[in-house]
């Protein structure tokens, strides 16, 4: 009986650390979205005389977009699959 509980504790640590890592990855990916979209030539506020009063046409995906969107996908998938595994291990409770 003690072997079973020790095995369960190792599984709990795996899920806890995995969910924590997945949550951090997802959170940092969401925060990095701020740097993922903008004006490629520099800040929009500094270049309003070139782009006019509405710069929405000139907003592009910057280099950080690939990294931040990738972090969001990896973090979300990690949390989804670990949660599904934990749900299966506890028989739905």
């Amino acid at each position: 009986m003690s072997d079973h509980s020790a095995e369960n504790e190792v599984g709990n640590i795996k899920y806890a650390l995995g969910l924590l890592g997945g949550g951090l990855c997802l959170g940092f990916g969401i925060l990095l979205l701020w740097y993922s979209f903008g004006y490629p030539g520099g800040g929009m506020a500094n270049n309003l005389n070139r782009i006019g009063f509405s710069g929405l046409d000139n907003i592009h995906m910057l280099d950080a977009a690939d990294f931040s969107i990738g972090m969001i996908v990896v973090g979300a998938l990690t949390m989804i699959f670990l949660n599904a595994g934990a749900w299966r291990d506890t028989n739905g409770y």
Side-chain angles (χ1 to χ4, degrees):
M1 185 170 189
S2 63
D3 293 335
H4 186 275
S5 64
E7 187 176 308
N8 194 9
E9 290 296 321
V10 171
N12 288 341
I13 292 172
K14 178 184 77 165
Y15 288 121
L17 292 178
L19 288 174
L20 181 64
L24 285 172
C25 188
L26 179 67
F28 281 124
I30 291 171
L31 286 175
L32 285 175
L33 281 176
W34 178 261
Y35 303 104
S36 299
F37 301 97
Y39 185 64
M44 271 193 182
N46 297 332
N47 296 313
L48 283 177
N49 60 350
R50 289 194 311 166
I51 61 174
F53 68 93
S54 176
L56 294 177
D57 301 346
N58 298 324
I59 293 178
H60 300 286
M61 289 179 67
L62 301 177
D63 293 336
D66 297 332
F67 185 69
S68 63
I69 293 171
M71 284 184 74
I72 291 171
V73 169
V74 167
L77 288 176
T78 300
M79 292 175 61
I80 289 168
F81 286 120
L82 284 176
N83 192 23
W87 186 261
R88 247 180 284 131
D89 290 345
T90 59
N91 295 324
Y93 182 74

